[in-house]
Amino acid sequence: MTVFYAIIPSRMKSTRLPEKPLKDIAGRPMVVRVAERAKASGAADVVVATDHEDIVKACKTHGVKVVLTSPNHPTGTDRLAETVTKLGLADDAIVVNVQGDEPLIPTNVVREVAELLAAHPECEMATAGHPIDNIEEFLNPNVVKVVRDAQGNAITFSRAPIPWPRDAFREDKTQLPEGLVPLRHIGLYAYRVKFLKRYPRWEQAPIEKWESLEQLRALYYGVKIAVAILPGALPAGVDTQEDLDRVREVFARGEA
């Protein structure tokens, strides 16, 4: 069985849902509920990485390991780099980045990206995607797409609709052409610790700047990223009060 660690970056700043990590879900803060899911995935250890003392206090109250990090990290990956250094993890250890606003994330998916990375020593990262089955999602710039090579590794990520079916769209742009199965990227990552230590030293890639996708920095500097294909979308995370209400209902029904 693959040994991996789960790290949950958690920041207090959220314009749409203030103090989001501390919002109550069935008697516990959301960040604690996420940590519980991560632990249930089989992670050898689960650590919350945060820049806010209130989150530190909430985690300690509920027995969740937590590391206080710098408030000045430009990306979540930089925050993970500081965390793995403080934890003293070995360079070949595998870390899964679990987003702190996904209290319904399937435990098997967390484990799957870790196992995928373990199975591909030539890769330093692993992530996931699922098929897009409608034109609206394909054309939506808020939906990030990924294209894989013959080995199942990422060629690129983009907010643009890729691959662009040039000839088919000359005839009809109202639906996906038959045979085209674009992939939506899911923002769940597994990393090797040695990659996380290198990442902050790299300058921002031009394509990363324009697309606002930090994983493009890894590709720009030659890192291979394995991509698992999931059958469908993951349960939505929490960005708004409506999202929070939906998640609370799931817990209230005992379905989480």
Side-chain angles (χ1 to χ4, degrees):
M1 186 174 180
T2 298
V3 175
F4 68 96
Y5 302 84
I7 298 181
I8 305 167
S10 184
R11 301 184 67 194
M12 194 68 83
K13 294 180 180 179
S14 173
T15 55
R16 288 189 286 178
L17 190 61
E19 298 188 350
K20 181 168 64 171
L22 302 181
K23 293 298 184 183
D24 181 84
I25 298 177
R28 296 187 181 181
M30 179 165 62
V31 67
V32 173
R33 289 299 185 188
V34 175
E36 291 171 346
R37 301 291 284 190
K39 189 63 177 178
S41 73
D45 205 0
V46 177
V47 181
V48 171
T50 184
D51 59 0
H52 202 285
E53 286 287 357
D54 287 349
I55 297 175
V56 171
K57 292 177 183 177
C59 289
K60 288 183 176 179
T61 296
H62 293 277
V64 174
K65 186 180 289 189
V66 60
V67 170
L68 186 64
T69 63
S70 167
N72 300 318
H73 290 304
T75 71
T77 309
D78 292 284
R79 191 174 309 282
L80 262 67
E82 179 186 354
T83 303
V84 298
T85 300
K86 285 187 171 181
L87 293 173
L89 296 180
D91 282 353
D92 60 350
I94 291 175
V95 169
V96 178
N97 176 2
V98 180
Q99 295 300 319
D101 57 3
E102 297 189 4
L104 297 178
I105 188 166
T107 58
N108 64 301
V109 175
V110 176
R111 186 169 56 253
E112 183 173 343
V113 294
E115 291 175 344
L116 177 66
L117 185 56
H120 290 273
E122 75 280 7
C123 296
E124 294 186 66
M125 293 176 59
T127 188
H130 70 80
I132 294 173
D133 60 6
N134 65 83
I135 190 68
E136 292 78 17
E137 192 172 6
F138 183 58
L139 298 176
N140 185 348
N142 294 316
V143 173
V144 178
K145 295 86 182 176
V146 58
V147 176
R148 303 195 309 165
D149 65 16
Q151 287 71 48
N153 299 331
I155 296 174
T156 193
F157 301 84
S158 182
R159 298 183 183 279
I162 55 173
W164 182 259
R166 183 194 66 174
D167 295 339
F169 271 6
R170 285 174 178 167
E171 304 294 329
D172 183 6
K173 289 185 180 180
T174 64
Q175 59 185 349
L176 292 175
E178 184 177 355
L180 176 64
V181 185
L183 295 174
R184 177 173 187 163
H185 177 235
I186 295 169
L188 177 68
Y189 297 98
Y191 306 94
R192 298 189 192 279
V193 166
K194 62 182 178 182
F195 163 79
L196 288 171
K197 291 179 178 178
R198 291 161 55 209
Y199 182 89
R201 299 197 296 266
W202 292 334
E203 291 186 7
Q204 187 180 41
I207 190 173
E208 170 196 0
K209 176 182 176 182
W210 291 113
E211 291 265 16
S212 295
L213 298 173
E214 63 184 84
Q215 66 268 35
L216 289 171
R217 189 185 313 183
L219 290 181
Y220 184 80
Y221 288 100
V223 171
K224 290 185 177 181
I225 305 175
V227 183
I229 303 301
L230 306 179
L234 300 183
V238 175
D239 289 319
T240 65
Q241 183 62 46
E242 291 73 19
D243 294 334
L244 181 61
D245 293 341
R246 170 182 49 80
V247 170
R248 284 171 170 169
E249 289 176 4
V250 172
F251 274 81
R253 295 194 300 266
E255 298 174 0

